Amino acid sequence: MPMDCLFCRIAAREIPATVVHETDTTLAFRDISPQAPTHVVVIAKRHDTDAVALAKAAPGVLDDLFLTAGEVAKAEGIDDSGYRLLFNTGPDAGQTVFHAHLHVLGGRPLGALA
């Protein structure tokens, strides 16, 4: 694990985060700059730069990200009303932490993406 990676350091508990769910392979925590009433980041505990790299290296862990996101949505009470799962891949997409992760957004109607 690269120790200069913010999400690796959160997974190692070197940087505090408000954890809402954890499995053997994933960690879910509240985003520090939420874009919706519910905004949780779900990371793979292993380090891969993005979702495609994770899918190539450990497809089962990619499955775990989605399963964890579903558990988070249920726990947050947004599973019935709806929620968005979002991967940003690369700088042009807005990825700022190059560690495989997805965002769980919900708690209000979400507009169309531009």
Side-chain angles (χ1 to χ4, degrees):
M1 257 193 292
M3 292 320 291
D4 60 336
C5 172
L6 174 65
F7 289 168
C8 286
R9 294 185 66 202
I10 289 172
R13 302 300 207 272
E14 294 176 4
I15 295 176
T18 305
V19 174
V20 297
H21 192 79
E22 183 172 12
T23 70
D24 290 342
T25 58
T26 66
L27 185 70
F29 53 89
R30 300 209 183 279
D31 193 292
I32 62 168
S33 182
Q35 304 299 304
T38 297
H39 188 168
V40 174
V41 178
V42 182
I43 67 169
K45 288 183 178 178
R46 59 173 285 132
H47 182 85
D48 292 283
T49 58
D50 57 46
V52 174
L54 178 61
K56 289 178 182 176
V61 177
L62 186 62
D63 293 346
D64 293 346
L65 285 180
F66 283 102
L67 294 171
T68 296
E71 291 296 322
V72 167
K74 185 176 181 179
E76 295 289 317
I78 59 172
D79 56 326
D80 287 334
S81 61
Y83 54 96
R84 179 173 291 157
L85 300 179
L86 175 69
F87 281 102
N88 295 319
T89 302
D92 283 354
Q95 185 179 10
T96 57
V97 179
F98 292 87
H99 180 116
H101 65 284
L102 68 81
H103 298 264
V104 180
L105 299 145
R108 68 168 168 78
L110 300 170
L113 295 175

